[in-house]
Protein backbone atom coordinates (compact mmCIF):
# COMPACT_ATOMS: atom_id res chain seq x y z
CA UNK A 1 0.00 0.00 0.00
CA UNK A 2 2.85 2.39 0.83
CA UNK A 3 4.41 1.76 -2.60
CA UNK A 4 1.08 2.45 -4.29
CA UNK A 5 0.79 5.78 -2.43
CA UNK A 6 4.37 6.58 -3.48
CA UNK A 7 3.47 5.99 -7.13
CA UNK A 8 0.45 8.27 -6.82
CA UNK A 9 2.54 10.99 -5.22
CA UNK A 10 5.16 10.70 -7.96
CA UNK A 11 2.50 11.24 -10.62
CA UNK A 12 1.18 14.32 -8.80
CA UNK A 13 4.72 15.60 -8.46
CA UNK A 14 5.36 15.18 -12.17
CA UNK A 15 2.13 16.98 -13.00
CA UNK A 16 3.20 19.91 -10.83
CA UNK A 17 6.80 20.06 -11.92
CA UNK A 18 6.24 20.48 -15.64
CA UNK A 19 9.48 19.91 -17.51
CA UNK A 20 11.79 20.53 -14.57
CA UNK A 21 12.71 16.86 -14.18
CA UNK A 22 15.17 15.44 -16.64
CA UNK A 23 14.60 12.15 -18.43
CA UNK A 24 16.80 10.14 -16.10
CA UNK A 25 14.88 11.35 -13.05
CA UNK A 26 11.58 10.52 -14.74
CA UNK A 27 12.75 6.98 -15.50
CA UNK A 28 13.97 6.60 -11.91
CA UNK A 29 10.50 7.60 -10.70
CA UNK A 30 8.91 5.04 -13.02
CA UNK A 31 11.28 2.34 -11.80
CA UNK A 32 10.13 2.92 -8.23
CA UNK A 33 6.56 2.19 -9.32
CA UNK A 34 6.93 -0.48 -11.95
CA UNK A 35 6.90 -3.55 -9.72
CA UNK A 36 3.67 -2.65 -7.91
CA UNK A 37 1.85 -0.35 -10.33
CA UNK A 38 2.99 -0.68 -13.95
CA UNK A 39 0.16 1.58 -15.17
CA UNK A 40 1.52 4.41 -13.05
CA UNK A 41 5.02 3.70 -14.33
CA UNK A 42 3.82 3.94 -17.93
CA UNK A 43 2.02 7.19 -17.17
CA UNK A 44 5.21 8.63 -15.68
CA UNK A 45 7.26 7.49 -18.68
CA UNK A 46 4.79 9.18 -21.05
CA UNK A 47 6.33 12.48 -19.87
CA UNK A 48 9.27 11.65 -22.13
CA UNK A 49 8.03 12.74 -25.54
CA UNK A 50 10.99 11.87 -27.78
CA UNK A 51 12.79 8.82 -26.36
CA UNK A 52 14.68 8.35 -29.63
CA UNK A 53 16.61 11.52 -28.82
CA UNK A 54 17.84 10.35 -25.42
CA UNK A 55 21.50 9.56 -24.83
CA UNK A 56 22.47 5.92 -25.21
CA UNK A 57 22.55 5.10 -21.51
CA UNK A 58 19.22 6.79 -20.75
CA UNK A 59 17.61 5.29 -23.84
CA UNK A 60 18.66 1.78 -22.78
CA UNK A 61 17.15 2.30 -19.33
CA UNK A 62 13.99 3.83 -20.81
CA UNK A 63 13.22 0.85 -23.08
CA UNK A 64 14.06 -1.55 -20.28
CA UNK A 65 11.59 0.15 -17.94
CA UNK A 66 8.90 0.24 -20.63
CA UNK A 67 9.39 -3.50 -21.18
CA UNK A 68 9.30 -4.18 -17.45
CA UNK A 69 6.02 -2.29 -17.14
CA UNK A 70 4.45 -4.29 -19.97
CA UNK A 71 5.71 -7.53 -18.44
CA UNK A 72 4.42 -6.67 -14.96
CA UNK A 73 1.11 -5.52 -16.41
CA UNK A 74 0.83 -8.93 -18.08
CA UNK A 75 0.10 -7.46 -21.49
CA UNK A 76 1.58 -8.49 -24.81
CA UNK A 77 5.17 -7.39 -25.31
CA UNK A 78 5.05 -7.78 -29.10
CA UNK A 79 5.92 -4.08 -29.58
CA UNK A 80 8.93 -4.17 -27.27
CA UNK A 81 11.47 -4.85 -30.00
CA UNK A 82 13.69 -2.04 -28.70
CA UNK A 83 14.53 -4.19 -25.71
CA UNK A 84 17.16 -5.48 -28.13
CA UNK A 85 18.79 -2.05 -27.88
CA UNK A 86 18.88 -2.31 -24.08
CA UNK A 87 20.31 -5.82 -24.23
CA UNK A 88 23.04 -4.79 -26.65
CA UNK A 89 23.91 -1.73 -24.55
CA UNK A 90 24.22 -3.62 -21.26
CA UNK A 91 26.06 -6.51 -22.88
CA UNK A 92 28.58 -4.40 -24.78
CA UNK A 93 28.80 -0.94 -23.23
CA UNK A 94 28.09 -1.62 -19.56
CA UNK A 95 28.39 -5.34 -18.76
CA UNK A 96 29.30 -4.26 -15.23
CA UNK A 97 25.69 -3.18 -14.65
CA UNK A 98 24.65 -6.64 -13.53
CA UNK A 99 21.08 -5.78 -12.50
CA UNK A 100 20.11 -4.22 -15.82
CA UNK A 101 22.03 -6.77 -17.89
CA UNK A 102 20.17 -9.71 -16.36
CA UNK A 103 16.86 -7.88 -16.61
CA UNK A 104 17.49 -7.11 -20.29
CA UNK A 105 18.17 -10.81 -21.00
CA UNK A 106 14.98 -11.80 -19.21
CA UNK A 107 12.68 -9.22 -20.80
CA UNK A 108 14.04 -9.58 -24.32
CA UNK A 109 13.64 -13.36 -24.04
CA UNK A 110 9.95 -12.79 -23.33
CA UNK A 111 9.71 -10.61 -26.42
CA UNK A 112 11.43 -13.29 -28.54
CA UNK A 113 9.13 -15.96 -27.18
CA UNK A 114 6.07 -13.93 -28.23
CA UNK A 115 7.63 -13.63 -31.70
CA UNK A 116 7.65 -17.47 -31.91
CA UNK A 117 11.43 -17.48 -31.56
CA UNK A 118 11.28 -19.98 -28.75
CA UNK A 119 14.76 -21.46 -29.03
CA UNK A 120 16.39 -18.02 -29.22
CA UNK A 121 14.48 -17.04 -26.09
CA UNK A 122 15.61 -20.18 -24.26
CA UNK A 123 19.23 -19.73 -25.33
CA UNK A 124 19.19 -16.13 -24.08
CA UNK A 125 17.82 -17.23 -20.71
CA UNK A 126 20.41 -20.00 -20.43
CA UNK A 127 23.19 -17.51 -21.15
CA UNK A 128 21.89 -15.19 -18.44
CA UNK A 129 21.50 -18.05 -15.97
CA UNK A 130 25.12 -19.12 -16.52
CA UNK A 131 26.23 -15.60 -15.57
CA UNK A 132 23.79 -14.88 -12.75
CA UNK A 133 25.12 -14.71 -9.21
CA UNK A 134 22.12 -14.07 -6.98
CA UNK A 135 19.20 -16.27 -5.99
CA UNK A 136 16.42 -13.89 -7.05
CA UNK A 137 17.80 -13.60 -10.59
CA UNK A 138 18.26 -17.34 -10.84
CA UNK A 139 14.66 -17.94 -9.74
CA UNK A 140 13.35 -15.40 -12.26
CA UNK A 141 15.33 -16.97 -15.12
CA UNK A 142 14.53 -20.56 -14.13
CA UNK A 143 10.81 -19.82 -13.90
CA UNK A 144 10.93 -18.47 -17.44
CA UNK A 145 12.90 -21.51 -18.63
CA UNK A 146 10.32 -23.81 -17.05
CA UNK A 147 7.53 -21.95 -18.84
CA UNK A 148 9.24 -21.77 -22.23
CA UNK A 149 10.51 -25.36 -22.19
CA UNK A 150 7.15 -27.01 -21.68
CA UNK A 151 4.58 -24.94 -23.48
CA UNK A 152 1.26 -26.61 -24.32
CA UNK A 153 2.52 -30.16 -24.11
CA UNK A 154 4.82 -29.80 -27.11
CA UNK A 155 8.04 -28.73 -25.41
CA UNK A 156 11.21 -30.31 -24.17
CA UNK A 157 9.96 -31.78 -20.92
CA UNK A 158 13.26 -33.32 -19.94
CA UNK A 159 14.71 -29.81 -19.82
CA UNK A 160 11.64 -28.48 -18.04
CA UNK A 161 12.06 -31.10 -15.31
CA UNK A 162 15.77 -30.25 -15.04
CA UNK A 163 14.98 -26.55 -14.54
CA UNK A 164 12.26 -27.35 -12.02
CA UNK A 165 14.68 -29.37 -9.92
CA UNK A 166 17.17 -26.48 -10.03
CA UNK A 167 14.40 -24.11 -8.98
CA UNK A 168 13.31 -26.32 -6.09
CA UNK A 169 16.93 -26.53 -4.90
CA UNK A 170 17.29 -22.74 -4.50
CA UNK A 171 13.76 -21.58 -3.62
CA UNK A 172 13.22 -21.55 0.13
CA UNK A 173 9.64 -20.30 -0.21
CA UNK A 174 7.54 -23.27 0.86
CA UNK A 175 4.44 -21.62 -0.63
CA UNK A 176 5.75 -22.42 -4.11
CA UNK A 177 6.46 -26.10 -3.53
CA UNK A 178 2.98 -27.46 -4.26
CA UNK A 179 3.00 -25.79 -7.68
CA UNK A 180 6.53 -26.99 -8.40
CA UNK A 181 5.58 -30.57 -7.56
CA UNK A 182 2.46 -30.39 -9.71
CA UNK A 183 4.53 -29.01 -12.60
CA UNK A 184 7.02 -31.86 -12.17
CA UNK A 185 4.20 -34.39 -12.33
CA UNK A 186 2.93 -32.78 -15.54
CA UNK A 187 6.41 -32.95 -17.07
CA UNK A 188 6.73 -36.63 -16.23
CA UNK A 189 3.23 -37.23 -17.59
CA UNK A 190 4.20 -35.80 -20.98
CA UNK A 191 7.26 -38.05 -20.91
CA UNK A 192 4.92 -41.00 -20.24
CA UNK A 193 6.78 -41.72 -17.00
CA UNK A 194 3.95 -43.04 -14.86
CA UNK A 195 6.22 -44.18 -12.01
CA UNK A 196 7.45 -40.65 -11.32
CA UNK A 197 3.96 -39.21 -11.81
CA UNK A 198 2.55 -41.51 -9.13
CA UNK A 199 5.59 -41.02 -6.88
CA UNK A 200 4.95 -37.29 -6.85
CA UNK A 201 1.19 -37.54 -6.34
CA UNK A 202 1.63 -40.10 -3.57
CA UNK A 203 3.56 -37.47 -1.59
CA UNK A 204 2.06 -34.22 -2.82
CA UNK A 205 -0.35 -33.78 0.09
CA UNK A 206 2.69 -32.95 2.29
CA UNK A 207 3.00 -29.68 0.36
CA UNK A 208 -0.55 -28.50 1.09
CA UNK A 209 0.11 -25.98 3.85
CA UNK A 210 -2.31 -23.08 3.41
CA UNK A 211 -5.95 -22.46 2.43
CA UNK A 212 -4.67 -21.24 -0.94
CA UNK A 213 -2.81 -24.53 -1.37
CA UNK A 214 -6.03 -26.42 -0.61
CA UNK A 215 -7.89 -24.49 -3.30
CA UNK A 216 -5.11 -25.08 -5.81
CA UNK A 217 -5.04 -28.78 -4.93
CA UNK A 218 -8.80 -29.08 -5.38
CA UNK A 219 -8.97 -27.09 -8.62
CA UNK A 220 -5.75 -28.30 -10.29
CA UNK A 221 -3.74 -31.03 -8.57
CA UNK A 222 -6.43 -33.63 -8.04
CA UNK A 223 -8.00 -32.92 -11.43
CA UNK A 224 -4.61 -33.55 -13.09
CA UNK A 225 -4.14 -36.68 -11.03
CA UNK A 226 -7.49 -38.07 -12.14
CA UNK A 227 -6.88 -37.16 -15.78
CA UNK A 228 -3.37 -38.62 -15.84
CA UNK A 229 -4.49 -41.83 -14.13
CA UNK A 230 -7.29 -42.26 -16.66
CA UNK A 231 -4.87 -41.69 -19.53
CA UNK A 232 -2.55 -44.33 -18.10
CA UNK A 233 -5.50 -46.72 -17.92
CA UNK A 234 -5.52 -46.80 -14.11
CA UNK A 235 -9.22 -46.12 -13.75
CA UNK A 236 -9.33 -47.12 -10.08
CA UNK A 237 -6.90 -44.31 -9.26
CA UNK A 238 -8.89 -41.88 -11.40
Amino acid sequence: MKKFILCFCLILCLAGCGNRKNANEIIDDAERCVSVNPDSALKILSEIKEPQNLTDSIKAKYWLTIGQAHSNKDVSMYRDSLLAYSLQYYNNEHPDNYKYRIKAHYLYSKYLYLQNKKQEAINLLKSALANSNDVDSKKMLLNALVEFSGTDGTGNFSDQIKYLHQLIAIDDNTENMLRYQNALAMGYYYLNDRNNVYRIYDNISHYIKTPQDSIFAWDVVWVNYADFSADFGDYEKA
Side-chain angles (χ1 to χ4, degrees), residues 10-25:
L10 285 170
I11 293 173
L12 290 179
C13 182
L14 278 173
C17 289
N19 293 323
R20 281 180 286 175
K21 284 200 171 187
N22 64 39
N24 193 44
E25 292 171 327

Side-chain angles (χ1 to χ4, degrees), residues 178 204-211 213-215 217-218 221-222:
L178 179 64
I204 205 166
S205 60
H206 298 305
Y207 299 97
I208 302 174
K209 305 289 187 181
T210 66
D213 288 343
S214 297
I215 293 170
W218 181 260
V221 173
W222 303 129

Side-chain angles (χ1 to χ4, degrees), residues 153-172:
T154 61
N156 187 333
F157 290 99
S158 295
D159 279 354
Q160 185 189 50
I161 289 168
K162 176 183 70 177
Y163 298 132
L164 275 165
H165 281 300
Q166 291 179 34
L167 195 51
I168 290 168
I170 64 171
D171 193 344
D172 58 2

